Amino acid sequence: AAGVIQSPRHLIKEKRETATLKCYPIPRHDTVYWYQQGPGQDPQFLISFYEKMQSDKGSIPDRFSAQQFSDYHSELNMSSLELGDSALYFCASSSKSGLVRSDTQYFGPGTRLTVL
Amino acid sequence: KQEVTQIPAALSVPEGENLVLNCSFTDSAIYNLQWFRQDPGKGLTSLLLIQSSQREQTSGRLNASLDKSSGRSTLYIAASQPGDSATYLCAVRRGFGNEKLTFGTGTRLTIIP
């Protein structure tokens, strides 16, 4: 079965640079979530989108922004990167509507961001 | 603010034993609870989801229970195998309109061959 796809899998940036992470949800899933997991930490919720609209917001810094596009993929844009932004960034998807409604959040493999 | 705790932080058991992982949460007003496993440096694999109205869910050798009123969930693993070695995380979701999962800090399980 198709899973959540994230790209790139690894990303190395310098301080103050920008980064864009991409997430492709499971087909027919309409909701995407972004989480950040620092070294040795549990995942922290950043933001979510349903049908291209922001549905919930967590501890996302103002330097970060995200959106969901008409094909349901999502992008997390990160600017003025700091050393503390180094983490594993997960995208998850679920389906709120239609024949495949599921409350389970299915996670992608993550993007490992390293800020030098 | 919801707090999710998993004790112990690490657990080692011999292969073949049955074991129980614990998860407790401070706010019993949850919508559902999900158990995940995470291999080192890897993504999160969903194992089981229990809705707030349910008491347990089973998948193969895994059984998860939920006692919402006492703020506790357990994940029971039968006949453990070395391949079960991973970090197990529980996560709670507050409500239908509230999307975020609040994660516990996990239990790192090692199955000794």
Side-chain angles (χ1 to χ4, degrees):
Chain A
V4 177
I5 297 171
Q6 291 187 246
S7 68
R9 294 293 308 277
H10 302 272
L11 190 58
I12 300 175
K13 291 285 186 179
E14 300 276 342
K15 275 183 2 180
R16 292 181 288 279
E17 285 191 325
T18 61
T20 297
L21 310 185
K22 296 186 179 183
C23 168
Y24 298 86
I26 291 172
R28 292 184 289 174
H29 278 196
D30 49 27
T31 308
V32 294
Y33 314 79
W34 286 98
Y35 291 84
Q36 177 193 58
Q37 185 176 32
Q41 306 289 316
D42 52 288
Q44 296 293 317
F45 174 75
L46 294 177
I47 197 167
S48 63
F49 292 87
Y50 167 62
E51 286 290 347
K52 303 174 282 290
M53 299 288 290
Q54 180 181 308
S55 55
D56 200 0
K57 189 174 179 181
S59 50
I60 183 169
D62 292 340
R63 298 176 290 108
F64 294 4
S65 65
Q67 58 181 323
Q68 185 181 30
F69 295 86
S70 57
D71 63 351
Y72 296 105
H73 93 273
S74 178
E75 294 183 3
L76 177 66
N77 299 292
M78 311 159 71
S79 62
S80 303
L81 288 169
E82 302 174 356
L83 296 178
D85 296 329
S86 295
L88 198 52
Y89 289 83
F90 289 111
C91 172
S93 76
S94 70
S95 175
K96 283 199 180 70
S97 56
L99 297 175
V100 289
R101 182 179 180 275
S102 170
D103 289 324
T104 299
Q105 292 186 22
Y106 295 92
F107 280 68
T111 294
R112 182 169 297 282
L113 172 66
T114 303
V115 182
L116 302 176
Chain B
K1 180 189 171 187
Q2 178 73 274
E3 292 183 4
V4 183
T5 306
Q6 292 183 250
I7 295 173
L11 180 66
S12 294
V13 299
E15 179 179 359
E17 284 198 2
N18 303 325
L19 60 100
V20 174
L21 304 180
N22 298 296
C23 171
S24 60
F25 45 95
T26 55
D27 186 351
S28 61
I30 66 168
Y31 181 66
N32 61 39
L33 182 146
Q34 207 167 334
W35 281 94
F36 296 87
R37 73 170 276 169
Q38 185 173 30
D39 294 283
K42 302 292 187 184
L44 295 161
T45 300
S46 178
L47 298 173
L48 289 164
L49 178 142
I50 309 179
Q51 301 289 0
S52 61
S53 58
Q54 297 175 322
R55 297 299 300 269
E56 65 179 289
Q57 282 286 339
T58 298
S59 176
R61 294 182 295 108
L62 306 180
N63 176 278
S65 69
L66 175 64
D67 184 342
K68 196 175 118 174
S69 60
S70 67
R72 283 187 285 190
S73 176
T74 61
L75 180 66
Y76 174 84
I77 303 177
S80 58
Q81 303 170 359
D84 295 331
S85 296
T87 295
Y88 289 80
L89 296 139
C90 67
V92 298
R93 180 177 164 188
R94 182 177 177 185
F96 180 73
N98 189 306
E99 311 290 346
K100 64 178 282 188
L101 290 178
T102 301
F103 282 83
T105 47
T107 294
R108 188 172 68 252
L109 176 65
T110 302
I111 304 300
I112 305 165

